[in-house]
Every structure is written in C-alpha cells, then in structure tokens.
Amino acid sequence: MYTEKKIDKEGVVPIYYQLKTMIKEQVEGGRWKPDDMIPSERELSEKYKISRATVRQAINELVQEGILYRKRGMGTYVAKPKINQGLTKLTSFTSDMQRRGHKPGSKVLHMKVVPPSKKAAEALMLDAEDEVVELFRLRLADDEPMAIEKTFLPLEKVSPLLNDSLENKSLYAELKEKCNLDLVQATQTIEISYPDQTEAQFLGIRENEPVLLIERTTFLENSIPIEYVCSLYRADRYKFTIEMKA
Ligand code: 16G
C-alpha cells in the first residue's frame, strides 16, 4: 500500500524537490503506470497547498529526466521505463530488442558507396583510395524511433550487402549469412551529444534534448575491423548497464 507523504514546508529540502521525489516514487512503485495521466499542475498545487510555479519546477525536471512526458494541450503523462542494454556482450540491436520483448525495426535513410571519412578510414584501417558502404538507419522499437546509426563497412568485404535492401533487417545477421563474416568483439565509447535539426526530427525529440553518442568499432577474428558506427541514441528512452568484476 502506498502511504501518502506530506510536504515539509519548514525543512531544508526545497518544496519542489520533495514533490518531485513523491511523484518519482509513485511512478517507480508502479502506482502510476506508463501512459497514465498525472494530476494537473492546478490539482497538485491545491492538494499540497503549494504554488503552481513550484509544481511546474518539479514536473519540468521529471520531464527532462524522461520520467514524465507532456502532450500539448492534453496533460502530463508517465513515460515508459528506459530500455536497459547491458554492455558485457556484443549484441545487435535486433537481437537485443527481441530478447526484451520489443519489436525491432529499421528504416534505411541511405546506403551508398563512398570514400571513407578520415575517422572511418582510421577505425577500419583503410587507405584513402579504398571505398566504404555508408549506411544510415533509423532504429525502431515497437515502431518508436530509438536511435540513428551511421555505419561504415569496408566495401571489399561486404559487397554482397548491396544486392538487397536492409530495411527492417539485422545487419549482423546479413553480415553472417551473405558475407560469411563472424563478429567477435567491439570497442565502444559513450558520451553526451546534441542532435541537429534533422536528427532530432528523425528521433522525434526536441533539438536541444541531449542524446547518447555511441561510437563502436567491431572486429572479426585477429582484430580485423569490419564495422565503424556512430549512433545517436535517445537518452530519454535508453540506458546502459556496465557489469564489473573485482
Ligand atoms: C547495435 C550496435 C550497432 C550495430 C547494430 C547492429 C550499439 C550501440 N550499436 O545497435 O553498432 O551496427 O547493433 O544491429 O549497440 P542489427 O544487426 O540489428 O542491424
């Protein structure tokens, strides 16, 4: 049973912060479920006898943290919990989503053969005169945009991929089946970034909303690089867990 807490107006903890914690606890405790509408600013301010500005501050921060979301002209709702990806095993987006019970999908934004950028050439250990397949995809979970992946692959090793569309397909499965390539390990960095206007539109977020920029180089046996990917993951829908052993 959830016991309603009281706001302590005399204490040192700011009032907005107490309200924010209370809302967060109700979401985390499952009392308010994903896509439930939470009480309005007016209702919360009347219930707790606090100003609407204070309520707004609590809600704004919860929206920024991806715990709530707003629908213009409708109200404020509970967001779905973030998708949590472990960082111990080399997996593909498709198998990761399937394992979690989500429907994976992808839209190919473009696929073409180009000379490698300096970064891609370095990661894939190519010369400037070599060519790469440049594949930009929007990745979806249950039809909702999750990430933009900009993938570079050495043309020499992956040319069979050019025969077919990769729409809604797993690149890793295709690399195995069509090109007979076994991926064995990857190096990945994660940092905060901001999408440009086009990227934000594809992801369905605002331009100033932070995203997770993930750079991955994937290798075959004998440390032969096969894939260099720059991905922008929605930070409001995704988190990563790292497991560490002593
Ligand atoms: C993941 C990888 C990405 C890889 C893709 C293949 C991260 C951050 N990125 O999204 O580098 O290209 O899987 O997925 O994990 P697919 O086989 O479903 O196309």
Side-chain angles (χ1 to χ4, degrees):
M1 247 289 279
Y2 180 83
T3 30
E4 198 82 53
K5 282 191 188 158
K6 288 219 163 60
I7 300 249
D8 171 11
K9 292 192 180 148
E10 314 300 325
V12 288
V13 181
I15 293 173
Y16 93 87
Y17 191 83
Q18 293 182 52
L19 177 66
K20 182 179 161 189
T21 309
M22 276 160 58
I23 297 176
K24 217 166 160 176
E25 281 174 2
Q26 306 205 40
V27 172
E28 284 165 355
R31 187 161 176 257
W32 288 343
K33 306 257 176 323
D35 299 322
D36 275 359
M37 186 162 86
I38 70 156
S40 68
E41 251 174 52
R42 185 180 50 77
E43 285 165 333
L44 288 169
S45 91
E46 279 168 10
K47 178 168 179 193
Y48 295 107
K49 307 205 168 25
I50 55 182
S51 78
R52 280 179 71 159
T54 304
V55 174
R56 197 165 313 132
Q57 188 178 1
I59 290 176
N60 281 350
E61 289 194 7
L62 289 164
V63 168
Q64 247 165 25
E65 289 170 25
I67 293 166
L68 302 177
Y69 67 94
R70 284 198 178 94
K71 273 199 228 170
R72 198 169 293 169
M74 307 274 284
T76 307
Y77 298 79
V78 176
K80 294 189 195 76
K82 291 185 182 181
I83 293 174
N84 185 3
Q85 187 186 322
L87 286 180
T88 27
K89 206 168 175 292
L90 176 61
T91 51
S92 74
F93 184 88
T94 304
S95 52
D96 205 56
M97 286 303 137
Q98 283 168 341
R99 208 156 35 87
R100 277 156 224 286
H102 299 290
K103 184 183 99 186
S106 59
K107 276 198 189 124
V108 175
L109 304 176
H110 84 228
M111 183 167 175
K112 54 187 178 191
V113 175
V114 292
S117 64
K118 195 163 172 275
K119 265 190 150 178
E122 254 171 43
L124 296 170
M125 297 204 273
L126 297 175
D127 296 324
E129 57 274 15
D130 290 322
E131 286 181 305
V132 289
V133 173
E134 183 182 80
L135 169 67
F136 287 8
R137 292 184 296 169
L138 180 66
R139 308 309 308 259
L140 312 157
D142 303 322
D143 302 318
E144 190 191 0
M146 284 291 138
I148 296 172
E149 291 184 338
K150 302 175 184 175
T151 309
F152 304 88
L153 306 142
L155 174 66
E156 193 214 339
K157 293 197 175 62
V158 305
S159 53
L161 289 185
L162 297 173
N163 302 333
D164 266 323
S165 157
L166 275 168
E167 193 91 356
N168 285 325
K169 285 197 189 148
S170 161
L171 172 66
Y172 283 5
E174 295 288 293
L175 287 174
K176 171 85 186 130
E177 282 158 30
K178 298 235 169 82
C179 313
N180 205 18
L181 296 171
D182 282 309
L183 314 183
V184 296
Q185 68 181 79
T187 310
Q188 188 165 295
T189 59
I190 305 180
E191 61 195 290
I192 297 287
S193 183
Y194 292 88
D196 64 25
Q197 199 186 356
T198 311
E199 291 164 340
Q201 253 169 23
F202 277 125
L203 289 172
I205 58 174
R206 290 190 317 274
E207 220 178 304
N208 54 0
E209 240 179 273
V211 289
L212 299 163
L213 166 64
I214 304 176
E215 256 183 270
R216 176 189 283 198
T217 308
T218 315
F219 301 89
L220 306 171
E221 207 63 75
N222 301 321
S223 306
I224 299 169
I226 185 66
E227 179 197 49
Y228 170 66
V229 200
C230 265
S231 313
L232 295 180
Y233 271 74
R234 276 177 58 169
D236 63 331
R237 297 291 295 112
Y238 234 85
K239 66 178 174 186
F240 292 88
T241 301
I242 302 167
E243 270 166 37
M244 285 170 275
K245 289 200 178 100

